[in-house]
């Protein structure tokens, strides 16, 4: 074994150590996020419910009097008052919840610790991805293992950027870290592939363009999917309160700390709408790369087909979301179906379907 090969092997081992170390720190962040939710005060989470259940006087408007002539005399009749009500399902005045900490100082402290640990784990994982790239001297996404560790790194990076921009997204921490741990656990146990060189078709600068944008789009779509799923739960909770129901104590504690359903819906829509043009570019870049590598821009390969299906699904969601009759839950279901298409395009096509994009390495 020459010196270069030995160096690359050592770098690969360092990368593995860094990935496992990041998992350990993510686990600590997971417990800190749990502590934020558990120890946050539950006494300050009732304002959303109060806004929903408060009895508001109906707006009334008296119609002008009507004069009626009868047998040469004039009688004055008063029309009944017209009662106007808000449109069905209108809850625009519901405030956002106080956050995962419940507005409590102790809970907020645990939340800040969770964010700090998440940032530390992100840096360690990023170092692991970078070291993996150095060990193979190429972009670190030539197989599913490398794609997975890069994907989770980008997803956490998106979360931290939103926090740095002062967005109210700390509620995203617990579901994000949970799925990142699952993703990394699957990567190091099932999807792990030793450092190796790429197949000839992947030796192209389009690898950096096409695959990097695909990873980024997937990470952002994931953030949007979490927001959409939480929106469905929060919308059901608010509907139950409006209809006079009494949710359980656990549901109340969790749901009233989240943003209002309208805020979650708007957040998910903006996230998906912002990244959709980049997903369109990803498909176009892949077609150009296919033309360079195989001589044809499009062959309806399983990966190409499901990428297009995913594009159509998100296009339908954005169109439905912009249409008044399809706002809310109907559009949310479309968003989740679209993300499920993306997930299947990654796991299902790579592992179970044979094609020119069969680079799973497992």
């Amino acid at each position: 074994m020459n010196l270069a090969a030995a160096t690359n092997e050592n770098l690969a081992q360092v990368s593995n150590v860094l990935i496992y170390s990041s998992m350990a720190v993510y686990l600590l962040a997971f417990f800190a996020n749990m502590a934020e939710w558990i120890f946050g005060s539950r006494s300050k989470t009732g304002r959303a419910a109060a806004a929903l259940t408060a009895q508001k006087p109906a707006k009334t408007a008296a119609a002008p009097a009507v004069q009626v002539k009868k047998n040469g005399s004039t009688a004055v009749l008063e029309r009944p008052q017209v009662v106007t009500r808000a449109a069905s399902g209108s809850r625009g005045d519901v405030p956002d919840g106080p956050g995962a900490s419940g507005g409590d100082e102790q809970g907020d402290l645990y939340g800040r610790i969770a964010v700090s640990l998440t940032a530390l784990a992100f840096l360690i994982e990023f170092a692991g991805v970078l070291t993996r790239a150095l060990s193979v001297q190429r972009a670190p996404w030539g197989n599913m293992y490398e794609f997975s560790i890069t994907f989770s790194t980008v997803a956490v990076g998106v979360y931290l950027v939103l926090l740095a921009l002062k967005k109210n997204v700390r509620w995203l921490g617990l579901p994000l870290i949970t799925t990142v741990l699952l993703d990394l656990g699957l990567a190091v146990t099932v999807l792990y592939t030793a450092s190796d060189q790429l197949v000839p078709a992947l030796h192209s600068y389009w690898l950096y363009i096409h695959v990097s944008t695909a990873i980024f789009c997937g990470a952002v779509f994931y953030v949007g999917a979490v927001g959409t799923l939480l929106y469905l739960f929060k919308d059901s909770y608010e509907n139950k309160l409006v209809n006079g129901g009494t949710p359980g104590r656990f549901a109340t504690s969790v749901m009233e700390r989240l943003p209002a359903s309208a805020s979650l819906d708007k957040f998910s829509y903006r996230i998906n709408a912002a990244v959709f043009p980049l997903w369109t570019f990803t498909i176009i870049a892949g077609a150009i790369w296919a033309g360079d590598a195989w001589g044809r821009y499009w062959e309806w390969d399983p990966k190409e087909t499901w990428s297009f299906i995913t594009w159509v699904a998100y296009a339908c969601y954005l169109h439905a979301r912009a249409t008044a009759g399809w706002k809310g839950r109907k559009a949310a279901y479309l968003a989740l179906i679209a993300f499920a298409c993306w997930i299947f395009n990654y796991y299902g096509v790579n592992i179970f379907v044979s094609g020119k994009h069969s680079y799973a390495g497992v």
Side-chain angles (χ1 to χ4, degrees), residues 235-255:
D235 184 64
S236 296
Y237 173 80
E238 291 178 357
N239 281 332
K240 188 171 185 178
L241 288 178
V242 168
N243 294 326
T246 305
R249 182 177 179 183
F250 176 78
T252 300
S253 176
V254 173
M255 290 295 127

Side-chain angles (χ1 to χ4, degrees), residues 47-213:
R47 56 178 177 160
L52 285 170
T53 56
Q55 297 295 326
K56 299 180 180 180
K59 297 180 180 179
T60 60
V66 179
Q67 293 183 349
V68 179
K69 291 184 178 181
K70 184 177 181 181
N71 298 327
S73 62
T74 302
V76 179
L77 302 178
E78 292 186 358
R79 289 180 178 176
Q81 291 182 332
V82 179
V83 180
T84 60
R85 294 183 175 86
S88 177
S90 176
R91 295 195 299 266
D93 56 350
V94 179
D96 289 345
S101 65
D104 179 73
E105 292 185 4
Q106 183 183 21
D108 183 67
L109 175 62
Y110 285 118
R112 293 178 183 275
I113 293 174
V115 172
S116 299
L117 289 172
T118 301
L120 176 60
F122 166 78
L123 294 175
I124 297 173
E125 186 181 10
F126 178 80
V129 172
L130 181 61
T131 308
R132 176 78 176 197
L134 295 174
S135 71
V136 292
Q137 299 179 355
R138 56 168 172 78
W141 42 71
N143 51 59
M144 288 188 69
Y145 168 74
E146 295 172 355
F147 192 103
S148 294
I149 61 175
T150 306
F151 170 83
S152 59
T153 304
V154 175
V156 175
V158 170
Y159 168 65
L160 294 176
V161 168
L162 291 174
L163 285 177
L165 294 175
K166 307 298 183 181
K167 303 298 182 181
N168 177 24
V169 294
R170 213 161 81 183
W171 49 267
L172 187 61
L174 184 57
L176 173 68
I177 299 305
T178 302
T179 50
V180 163
L181 283 170
L182 292 174
D183 175 73
L184 290 177
L186 184 63
V188 299
T189 56
V190 178
L191 303 178
Y192 180 77
T193 304
S195 299
D196 200 0
Q197 294 305 311
L198 299 175
V199 295
L202 293 181
H203 285 288
S204 171
Y205 61 89
W206 284 106
L207 173 68
Y208 296 88
I209 300 173
H210 171 64
V211 183
S212 63
T213 55

Side-chain angles (χ1 to χ4, degrees), residues 256-328:
E256 289 180 4
R257 302 192 203 188
L258 294 175
S261 62
S263 298
L264 290 169
D265 184 38
K266 186 183 299 183
F267 169 80
S268 302
Y269 171 67
R270 288 178 174 177
I271 285 287
N272 289 322
V275 79
F276 180 74
L278 187 60
W279 180 248
T280 304
F281 170 77
T282 300
I283 296 177
I284 295 173
I288 296 173
W289 187 10
D292 290 343
W294 303 319
R296 295 184 62 181
Y297 292 105
W298 196 269
E299 296 187 7
W300 294 104
D301 181 77
K303 177 69 69 173
E304 296 172 343
T305 302
W306 275 96
S307 295
F308 178 69
I309 291 174
T310 303
W311 184 90
V312 171
Y314 273 108
C316 290
Y317 159 71
L318 294 176
H319 175 72
R321 181 60 177 75
T323 304
W326 276 80
K327 288 182 179 179

